Amino acid sequence: MRLTHYFRIKKVMALLAIVFCWAHKTGEWNHQVRPLKTKKHGRPEQSLFRYGLDYLTDSLLHGLQKIEDRFRLWVLFLCPPDMIVVDGQNPEIIALQT
């Protein structure tokens, strides 16, 4: 199999990189809300990427009921990590740092 459409492959790789970052950021946020369990050997039960990917898959395929959940996913997608501030008392609340 030859790679004949270089620009198509380049677009797919760029899309995969964006989705990977979005899933990882979502997993980091979700870990603050509901921490992953640590197994006996000291490692978490899932990676942060997998945790975020599962959350995104469930959210996007099964629909989000609350408008806050939809907004939260867009904030996690669009904003750089240094602008996102998670409330320590209620980690489900995300604020933007200016």
Side-chain angles (χ1 to χ4, degrees), residues 6-19:
Y6 172 74
F7 291 107
R8 288 184 185 173
I9 293 170
K10 190 175 176 180
K11 287 179 188 178
V12 168
M13 292 303 292
L15 182 65
L16 285 173
I18 290 169
V19 171

Side-chain angles (χ1 to χ4, degrees), residues 8-87:
R8 288 184 185 173
I9 293 170
K10 190 175 176 180
K11 287 179 188 178
V12 168
M13 292 303 292
L15 182 65
L16 285 173
I18 290 169
V19 171
F20 174 82
C21 293
W22 189 20
H24 194 275
K25 283 171 60 174
T26 304
E28 288 176 356
W29 167 79
N30 210 11
H31 178 63
Q32 291 178 354
V33 175
R34 282 177 253 119
L36 289 167
K37 295 177 185 174
T38 305
K39 292 195 167 198
K40 291 180 183 178
H41 52 70
R43 295 186 183 188
E45 60 184 347
Q46 289 180 331
S47 67
L48 292 176
F49 166 74
R50 186 64 202 198
Y51 200 38
L53 185 65
D54 289 343
Y55 182 80
L56 284 175
T57 303
D58 290 342
S59 300
L60 296 175
L61 291 180
H62 300 257
L64 296 170
Q65 302 302 325
K66 297 181 193 174
I67 192 72
E68 295 90 13
D69 293 337
R70 293 179 188 169
F71 178 72
R72 187 178 302 119
L73 284 180
W74 279 108
V75 166
L76 287 169
F77 177 70
L78 295 174
C79 296
D82 56 344
M83 283 184 63
I84 300 172
V85 177
V86 179
D87 185 13

